């Protein structure tokens, strides 16, 4: 099923949120996340505090605005993938779509990830977002005949593991200053789920 077209009002709201998030992030970087209030953010953006709060209910959601579409990006990539041989391959490819979406400005994303890593409240809120994305990801995984025949818990575990991989990969990439190749990092992360060949040893005499 194709997505419903986005109305002009929603496009306008998204543009306003993007601009408020941009102004707020600059302020967080200058002053510190915990030190900045909504009154400070509203003043920096040139709007009233009540107006700012109409677009963002928490400071955490301001910083994490860039991640809002990620769940849909992953779910849509899974829905479009009809050729990958198994769920792990589909998830690996879907996460590639997610990181491609996120990495539009390397330095900006590195800075955002650094702020998240240093701020427990942001890390906790990002975990909540991942939990919100998971049901739709699970539903897309179970659209294939092989997954539909399995216990629902299997798709749920795979989705949770893949989302954890995404966060680990992004943290590693951020720690490298955005220098490491994200595709290679994703490959390394998903290789951890491969069953190693059992080594053959001679039986003791």
């Amino acid at each position: 099923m194709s997505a419903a077209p986005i109305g002009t009002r929603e496009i306008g709201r998204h543009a306003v949120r993007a601009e408020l998030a941009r102004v707020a992030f600059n302020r967080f970087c200058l002053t510190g996340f915990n030190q900045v209030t909504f009154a400070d953010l509203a003043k920096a953006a040139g709007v009233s505090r009540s107006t700012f709060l109409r677009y963002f209910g928490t400071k955490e959601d301001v910083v994490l605005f860039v991640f809002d579409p990620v769940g849909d990006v992953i779910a849509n990539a899974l829905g479009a993938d009809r050729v990958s041989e198994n769920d792990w391959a589909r998830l690996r490819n879907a996460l590639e779509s997610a990181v491609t979406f996120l990495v539009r400005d390397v330095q900006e994303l590195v800075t955002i990830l650094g702020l998240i890593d240093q701020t427990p409240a942001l890390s906790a809120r990002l975990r909540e977002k991942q939990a919100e994305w998971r049901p739709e990801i699970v539903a897309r995984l179970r659209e294939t005949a092989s997954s539909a025949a399995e216990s629902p818990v299997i798709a749920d575990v795979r989705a949770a593991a893949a989302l954890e991989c995404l966060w680990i990969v992004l943290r590693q990439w951020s720690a490298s200053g955005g220098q490491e190749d994200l595709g290679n990092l994703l490959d390394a992360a998903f290789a951890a789920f491969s069953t190693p060949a059992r080594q053959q040893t001679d039986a003791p005499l």
Side-chain angles (χ1 to χ4, degrees), residues 8-71:
T8 54
R9 179 178 298 179
E10 187 59 31
I11 292 173
R13 178 177 174 80
H14 178 85
V16 172
R17 294 184 84 230
E19 178 60 17
L20 292 177
R22 184 191 66 80
V23 171
F25 185 67
N26 289 338
R27 188 61 184 267
F28 289 139
C29 290
L30 287 171
T31 309
F33 179 80
N34 293 322
Q35 289 70 36
V36 175
T37 67
F38 268 116
D40 296 329
L41 297 179
K43 182 177 180 181
V47 299
S48 68
R49 183 177 181 276
S50 61
T51 295
F52 203 106
L53 286 168
R54 280 206 301 271
Y55 291 94
F56 292 103
T58 69
K59 292 193 301 179
E60 289 78 14
D61 285 341
V62 180
V63 175
L64 300 176
F65 168 73
V66 67
F67 291 93
D68 284 354
V70 169

Side-chain angles (χ1 to χ4, degrees), residues 61 78 87 91 111 161 183-184 196:
D61 285 341
L78 288 170
D87 281 352
L91 285 164
T111 305
N184 290 340

Side-chain angles (χ1 to χ4, degrees), residues 87-170:
D87 281 352
W88 289 125
R90 294 176 68 207
L91 285 164
R92 161 64 181 81
N93 293 337
L95 292 197
E96 180 113 35
S97 296
V99 298
T100 298
F101 168 81
L102 286 169
V103 186
R104 288 168 289 184
D105 183 319
V106 170
Q107 190 52 55
E108 180 180 74
L109 185 58
V110 166
T111 305
I112 291 172
L113 291 169
L115 182 61
I116 293 169
D117 208 30
Q118 297 163 13
T119 311
L122 288 171
S123 295
R125 180 62 184 121
L126 184 56
R127 294 285 185 182
E128 291 175 358
K129 283 184 176 291
Q130 290 175 342
E132 292 165 4
W133 302 336
R134 206 165 74 218
E136 184 61 24
I137 293 172
V138 171
R140 292 300 177 90
L141 285 176
R142 288 182 55 76
E143 286 176 351
T144 64
S146 58
S147 291
E150 296 175 331
S151 167
V153 74
I154 295 176
D156 207 353
V157 168
R158 286 172 180 161
L163 289 173
E164 189 64 21
C165 280
L166 176 62
W167 179 231
I168 290 170
V169 162
L170 287 174

